[in-house]
Amino acid sequence: MLNLFKRFKSGLSETRQAITQRLVSIFSGNNFSAADWAKLEEALYKADFGSATVAHLIHSLKSLKSSDATPTDALKRALLELLEGAEGDVSLASNATADNSLPQVVMLLGVNGAGKTTTAAKIAHYWKQQNRQVLLGSCDTFRAAANQQLKSWADRLQLDCIGSQQGADAAAVAFDACQAGLHRGYERIVLDTAGRLHNKSALLEEIKKMVRVLQKCNPAFPQHRWLVIDGSLGTNSLQQAQVFNEAVPLTGLIVTKLDGTSKGGALVSIFNALHVPIYFVGLGEQAEDLQPFSLNAYIEGLLTQTP
Ligand SMILES: Nc1nc2c(ncn2[C@@H]2O[C@H](COP(=O)(O)OP(=O)(O)OP(=O)(O)O)[C@@H](O)[C@H]2O)c(=O)[nH]1
Ligand SMILES: [Mg+2]
């Protein structure tokens, strides 16, 4: 069983290589030439930190503090500053508005293929491992195979799941799942939804309708509206995130597929654009590869070269 830091480190290996490749001289010394600065800037862009973040990081490095033993320390400090408040509390204990007698309902949103269905199952599995009573709701009624996909995960991981038929009203399925969860005493309800394009207003209207219908089940529902973002799209996913946020105010983020991409730096810009916590990150396809977002493990995974 890999520990958290090892999982982040292995999942972020491509992004780390993008940053540290050919930069050994920079990371080991304090005297940068103009060419070194250019190389570093290029490396940060390659890791898809985005222009505002790159400018901030370079600025921090140029003003190395006495507390920074090395340039790597300065980068770590700058990233910590930029990511303040980014670590979501996956126990949901810090949800100040939570009524403990109610299940906490998490609605997963995102574009096609972002990783919503697999993530729904993985989150449910994670909470089940933490001894929570978790119910899945299969609210993607658009794609024929969606319900089967979630059911198969639920069977494999022995999770409870309210299924649906293709073509059914997604909001009605969500309502039924929450009603069932409420009456049967579940603590967490995780709703998978259909993938939708962020430029199709009818699809975004459907999400708003789902929220309105859930509020009829209980005015507090859904307490959590998390956007699932494909991390391999990097900063290209920023615009979609903003459009979703306008349709339904987001309360959290999940960034999937950080493994197999060098664009893991984009997470910083995405967080800074939305300022909602990152709850989980996807570092591979197995259930255990979805990990609670850890600021320290992320930064170590990006910058630490030693084994
Ligand atoms: N490598 C890797 N693959 C992932 C990760 N998360 C999801 N995937 C894969 O991404 C693909 C799409 O995942 P789904 O969960 O079906 O995505 P979705 O958002 O539900 O897709 P739609 O319902 O079609 O919108 C699957 O092959 C997943 O195994 C991850 O963190 N890492
Ligand atoms: Mg899906």
Side-chain angles (χ1 to χ4, degrees):
M1 181 74 176
L2 291 169
N3 69 27
L4 187 73
F5 276 77
K6 282 199 178 139
R7 279 188 196 281
F8 271 75
K9 212 166 165 213
S10 108
L12 288 165
S13 60
E14 288 200 26
T15 304
R16 181 172 60 256
Q17 274 164 28
I19 304 171
T20 57
Q21 220 178 32
R22 297 188 296 120
L23 292 178
V24 180
S25 59
I26 294 181
F27 283 101
S28 56
N30 278 339
N31 298 316
F32 288 15
S33 67
D36 282 339
W37 283 116
K39 264 202 256 173
L40 178 62
E41 207 170 319
E42 190 192 323
L44 293 173
Y45 273 112
K46 203 170 159 202
D48 208 14
F49 279 100
S51 50
T53 307
V54 172
H56 182 99
L57 295 177
I58 295 283
H59 175 78
S60 303
L61 268 179
K62 285 190 170 168
S63 51
L64 271 177
K65 292 195 173 158
S66 53
S67 58
D68 301 322
T70 64
T72 310
D73 291 339
L75 268 183
K76 286 182 182 171
R77 176 176 48 77
L79 281 169
L80 270 174
E81 276 164 20
L82 284 171
L83 288 170
E84 198 189 334
E87 203 174 88
D89 172 15
V90 296
S91 76
L92 306 183
S94 56
N95 183 3
T97 54
D99 170 350
N100 288 333
S101 63
L102 278 179
Q104 300 224 27
V105 178
V106 178
M107 193 172 160
L108 297 182
L109 307 167
V111 298
N112 300 83
K116 296 171 297 298
T117 304
T118 47
T119 297
K122 291 171 187 174
I123 295 178
H125 174 69
Y126 175 86
W127 278 329
K128 194 180 168 199
Q129 303 284 90
Q130 312 282 314
N131 295 319
R132 294 289 180 188
Q133 304 289 321
V134 196
L135 181 64
L136 280 165
S138 176
C139 309
D140 178 353
T141 55
F142 187 70
R143 221 161 42 84
N147 181 58
Q148 193 46 48
Q149 187 191 358
L150 191 63
K151 278 271 183 206
S152 322
W153 273 95
D155 288 347
R156 202 173 340 139
L157 298 171
Q158 297 184 305
L159 303 163
D160 298 340
C161 181
I162 300 284
S164 60
Q165 300 287 331
Q166 187 190 9
D169 178 3
V173 177
F175 183 92
D176 288 347
C178 288
Q179 190 89 317
L182 195 57
H183 290 136
R184 296 186 208 157
Y186 283 91
E187 298 169 280
R188 305 273 182 269
I189 302 170
V190 184
L191 304 176
D192 181 30
T193 67
R196 58 201 77 225
L197 294 170
H198 59 288
N199 52 7
K200 286 271 168 67
S201 58
L203 292 174
L204 293 172
E205 284 306 316
E206 191 190 75
I207 305 180
K208 292 189 198 170
K209 179 184 163 191
M210 276 178 97
V211 171
R212 282 197 306 273
V213 169
L214 286 179
Q215 283 167 345
K216 286 184 190 152
C217 186
N218 187 288
F221 290 168
Q223 296 96 326
H224 307 277
R225 299 164 299 274
W226 294 352
L227 184 69
V228 181
I229 291 184
D230 177 342
S232 68
L233 297 179
T235 43
N236 290 333
S237 54
L238 262 173
Q239 197 212 347
Q240 60 169 263
Q242 271 148 353
V243 174
F244 272 95
N245 195 34
E246 279 161 29
V248 179
L250 300 171
T251 61
L253 286 170
I254 294 176
V255 186
T256 60
K257 308 186 199 179
L258 283 176
D259 56 304
T261 177
S262 61
K263 295 185 174 179
L267 187 145
V268 182
S269 300
I270 295 167
F271 168 71
N272 274 287
L274 293 180
H275 263 283
V276 290
I278 300 163
Y279 283 88
F280 289 95
V281 289
L283 300 163
E285 295 202 56
Q286 305 304 315
E288 294 74 25
D289 292 328
L290 187 83
Q291 289 287 329
F293 178 62
S294 155
L295 207 47
N296 284 325
Y298 172 71
I299 292 173
E300 288 292 317
L302 284 182
L303 297 174
T304 306
Q305 297 169 79
T306 47

